[in-house]
Amino acid sequence: MKNLKRILILCLCVFTLCSLSGCVQIGNGKKIIRISHAQSETHPEHIGLLKFKEYVEQRLGNKYEIQIFPNELLGSAQKAIELTQTGAIDFVVAGTANLETFADIYEVFSMPYLFTSEEAYHRAMNDVDYMKTVYESTDEAGFRVLTWYNAGTRSFYAKKPINSPADLKGMKMRVQQSPASVNMAKAFGAAASPMSFGEVYTAIQQNVIDGAENNELALTNNKHGEVAKFYSYNRHQMVPDMLIGNLKFLQNLSTEEYQIFEEAALLSTQVEMEEWDKQVEEAKQFAQQQMGVQFIEVDVQPFKDAVADVQQQMLKENENIRDLYNHIQKYNEQAAQGIMPEEHLVILDPAVPEVSQPAESVGTEISQPVVPESAAQGGM
């Protein structure tokens, strides 16, 4: 029955999308804004998007209604990006690996050990002014990133313990569909097996692969802890997800409207980050106590040494990532020295009630947004 319901919903969504030529106007004059993502309704990204919806509708509710479609109901990330390009839907959340074919600057996020700490990762990504130049790199493709979401730190998990790169030799490991991730796995001595994330559980269960690499939530939300009982903290990647908007839609907003959408995006990141930290701790406890997963702290240095050549090769082959790479190294150095600049965060407007989720927010002022060239023209 549950599968039938999902099929019916999917068919309805496909039928609706086929009739779209952009955002849809409903009977009361409001325009429907559709957001697609791959996670469940309890995932931190969905909770962050609820804040996005709330913020926009509190200020522009007479013009826009935000609809959020979780669980890949509007298609896989790659398909949803294509729909966002054409304007069939307005926003999608997707990983940076999905963006590499549109702007090769995003390849840098697949680089192993790009960030040396979570603190440096968060600070670099929250450098709003710098990241806007990165976000605009996909304008020619018809979409623009508005903000990032924390997708945690990626480590290996498998059917047997992994304590060093030597343990990965010959193991078939699922990695993201990114050349850098494939080369990383090979440098560790593993056989890289890029595949859709939805196929991982069955592939491990049926011994098609020996394990995968992801954050702790994959163990619980996707039940990978049922088939892979050893999670090794080698922390090889910190890869963000991105909130992507159709460029034409964004450019047709008035200056005031664009600023509200951008503020909503930044605020959704703050809520998502706080919820992420909370859920990772809960996932780890559940995986240990209910699924029997063993978490292994390993010496990270041998893993770093094994992929040093991968880093250098990426920098040699793609000059478009060098400036961002060097920018990130400044944050790595500052974190190592304990010198961290003030973070670019957003504050909650007291006029906006909290969503019914356990996430409070604090911070500083929102940076003045950069409005697309035609945004000042207004209208839809």
Side-chain angles (χ1 to χ4, degrees), residues 290-354:
Q290 305 297 324
M291 306 174 99
V293 176
Q294 296 183 36
F295 289 87
I296 306 168
E297 289 288 348
V298 303
D299 182 0
V300 173
Q301 192 58 49
F303 289 91
K304 288 184 177 181
D305 294 340
V307 294
D309 288 344
V310 175
Q311 286 189 337
Q312 295 306 311
Q313 189 66 23
M314 290 180 67
L315 290 168
K316 180 180 178 181
E317 294 179 352
N318 185 357
E319 64 180 17
N320 291 329
I321 69 174
R322 294 175 191 169
D323 186 73
L324 178 52
Y325 173 84
N326 291 331
H327 182 75
I328 290 169
Q329 298 318 303
K330 296 177 184 177
Y331 282 99
N332 286 336
E333 292 168 6
Q334 290 170 352
Q337 297 170 11
I339 305 171
M340 298 303 292
E342 186 175 354
E343 206 166 359
H344 297 259
L345 296 179
V346 294
I347 58 170
L348 291 180
D349 188 317
V352 182
E354 293 292 325

Side-chain angles (χ1 to χ4, degrees), residues 222-378:
N222 305 95
K223 300 183 179 180
H224 294 179
E226 293 179 354
V227 292
K229 299 298 184 181
F230 299 94
Y231 189 98
S232 300
Y233 277 114
N234 70 303
R235 300 177 173 90
H236 53 262
Q237 286 172 324
M238 300 177 193
V239 185
D241 285 341
M242 299 296 190
L243 176 62
I244 301 160
N246 173 265
L247 185 62
K248 186 176 180 180
F249 167 73
L250 294 173
Q251 288 181 330
N252 282 327
L253 294 172
S254 69
T255 302
E256 178 185 3
E257 289 172 343
Y258 187 87
Q259 179 168 341
I260 288 171
F261 271 86
E262 189 168 50
E263 289 171 354
L266 295 174
L267 184 57
S268 72
T269 294
Q270 186 175 338
V271 171
E272 189 270 348
M273 289 179 68
E274 293 170 352
E275 187 64 20
W276 180 273
D277 291 341
K278 172 177 172 289
Q279 289 198 23
V280 165
E281 287 304 313
E282 292 174 349
K284 185 174 180 179
Q285 290 182 18
F286 185 89
Q288 285 177 314
Q289 298 171 9
Q290 305 297 324
M291 306 174 99
V293 176
Q294 296 183 36
F295 289 87
I296 306 168
E297 289 288 348
V298 303
D299 182 0
V300 173
Q301 192 58 49
F303 289 91
K304 288 184 177 181
D305 294 340
V307 294
D309 288 344
V310 175
Q311 286 189 337
Q312 295 306 311
Q313 189 66 23
M314 290 180 67
L315 290 168
K316 180 180 178 181
E317 294 179 352
N318 185 357
E319 64 180 17
N320 291 329
I321 69 174
R322 294 175 191 169
D323 186 73
L324 178 52
Y325 173 84
N326 291 331
H327 182 75
I328 290 169
Q329 298 318 303
K330 296 177 184 177
Y331 282 99
N332 286 336
E333 292 168 6
Q334 290 170 352
Q337 297 170 11
I339 305 171
M340 298 303 292
E342 186 175 354
E343 206 166 359
H344 297 259
L345 296 179
V346 294
I347 58 170
L348 291 180
D349 188 317
V352 182
E354 293 292 325
V355 293
S356 56
Q357 300 291 345
E360 297 180 358
S361 303
V362 294
T364 57
E365 292 185 355
I366 300 171
S367 300
Q368 185 69 21
V370 177
V371 183
E373 291 179 1
S374 60
Q377 299 173 6

Side-chain angles (χ1 to χ4, degrees), residues 52-71:
F52 179 91
K53 168 183 170 70
E54 177 190 67
Y55 192 89
V56 172
E57 290 183 350
Q58 281 287 326
R59 287 155 177 77
L60 300 172
N62 61 324
K63 295 183 179 180
Y64 302 106
E65 177 183 323
I66 309 293
Q67 296 183 355
I68 304 170
F69 293 85
N71 300 309

